[in-house]
């Protein structure tokens, strides 16, 4: 039997951890049952303008959205202007807007790339952003020009500190 390796991976915040037991290419669960696993060590990166980006495993595409912090600050979102498919953007370019009952805010590209898809669900149900801004409320998918640009953004811990200042 192959030795078991234990990995502790952060989930959601630096204070919540889960323990994975990996043996060969299967996840070991209680009672000796196993199943195949896949997981990504990619994490979200955050811009000071409160957008997040999550690179795909191959770093060729990414998903962009607004942070939970920004969604809470905006309040109930009533309209989302999505970026145009095919739009080439540089880091910091406006790619859309979010309007709420309180205010309106531009959405900026955290890194450079080409927009390949907007989240059409948000046109019909803009409040999806309030329910899951860092999940189903994503704004756009993009083809990434230079994935190294993401390293200039904040990780989750740095962003949390930034929003607490």
């Amino acid at each position: 039997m192959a030795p078991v390796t234990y990995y502790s991976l952060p989930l959601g915040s630096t204070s919540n951890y889960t323990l994975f037991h990996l043996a060969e290419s299967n996840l070991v669960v209680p009672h000796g049952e196993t199943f195949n696993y896949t997981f990504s060590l990619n994490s979200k990166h955050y811009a000071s303008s409160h957008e997040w980006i999550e690179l795909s495993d191959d770093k060729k595409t990414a998903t962009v959205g607004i942070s939970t912090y920004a969604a809470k600050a905006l309040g109930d979102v009533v309209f989302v202007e999505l970026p145009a498919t095919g739009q080439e953007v540089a880091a910091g370019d406006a790619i859309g807007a979010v309007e709420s009952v309180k205010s309106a805010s531009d959405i900026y590209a955290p890194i450079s790339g080409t927009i390949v898809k907007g989240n059409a669900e948000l046109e019909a149900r803009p409040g999806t952003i309030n329910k899951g801004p860092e999940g189903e409320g994503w704004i756009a998918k993009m083809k990434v020009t230079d994935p190294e640009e993401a390293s200039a953004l904040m990780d989750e811990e740095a962003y949390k500190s930034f929003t607490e200042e």
Side-chain angles (χ1 to χ4, degrees):
M1 181 171 170
V4 175
T5 306
Y6 298 93
Y7 293 91
S8 182
L9 302 173
L11 296 178
S13 75
T14 57
S15 61
N16 295 325
Y17 290 86
T18 190
L19 191 62
F20 288 91
H21 310 272
L22 302 177
E24 298 178 30
S25 63
N26 295 316
L27 179 64
V28 177
V29 293
H31 310 295
E33 298 174 31
T34 61
F35 58 91
N36 289 334
Y37 68 92
T38 57
F39 61 89
S40 171
L41 295 178
N42 288 339
S43 59
K44 289 185 174 84
H45 294 83
Y46 297 84
S48 59
S49 53
H50 305 290
E51 291 82 17
W52 58 266
I53 189 159
E54 186 171 33
L55 295 170
S56 62
D57 289 338
D58 66 6
K59 300 188 182 332
K60 293 181 180 179
T61 59
T63 304
V64 177
I66 66 168
S67 69
T68 300
Y69 176 88
K72 286 180 182 178
L74 282 167
D76 294 333
V77 174
V78 296
F79 177 77
V80 179
E81 178 188 338
L82 296 173
T85 300
Q87 178 182 357
E88 292 185 17
V89 296
D93 286 354
I95 60 170
V98 177
E99 294 180 15
S100 72
V101 294
K102 290 186 197 178
S103 65
S105 181
D106 285 334
I107 303 165
Y108 300 98
I111 65 174
S112 303
T114 303
I115 303 298
V116 295
K117 180 181 181 180
N119 186 352
E121 176 72 21
L122 299 180
E123 292 176 323
R125 296 197 321 239
T128 302
I129 286 180
N130 298 109
K131 293 177 184 146
E134 296 192 34
E136 65 184 21
W138 56 273
I139 303 292
K141 306 261 184 194
M142 65 188 300
K143 181 179 174 187
V144 176
T145 302
D146 180 6
E148 291 303 312
E149 287 182 6
S151 64
L153 301 172
M154 293 176 269
D155 63 15
E156 186 175 353
E157 189 174 322
Y159 182 70
K160 183 179 178 185
S161 295
F162 173 74
T163 58
E164 290 174 350
E165 291 177 351

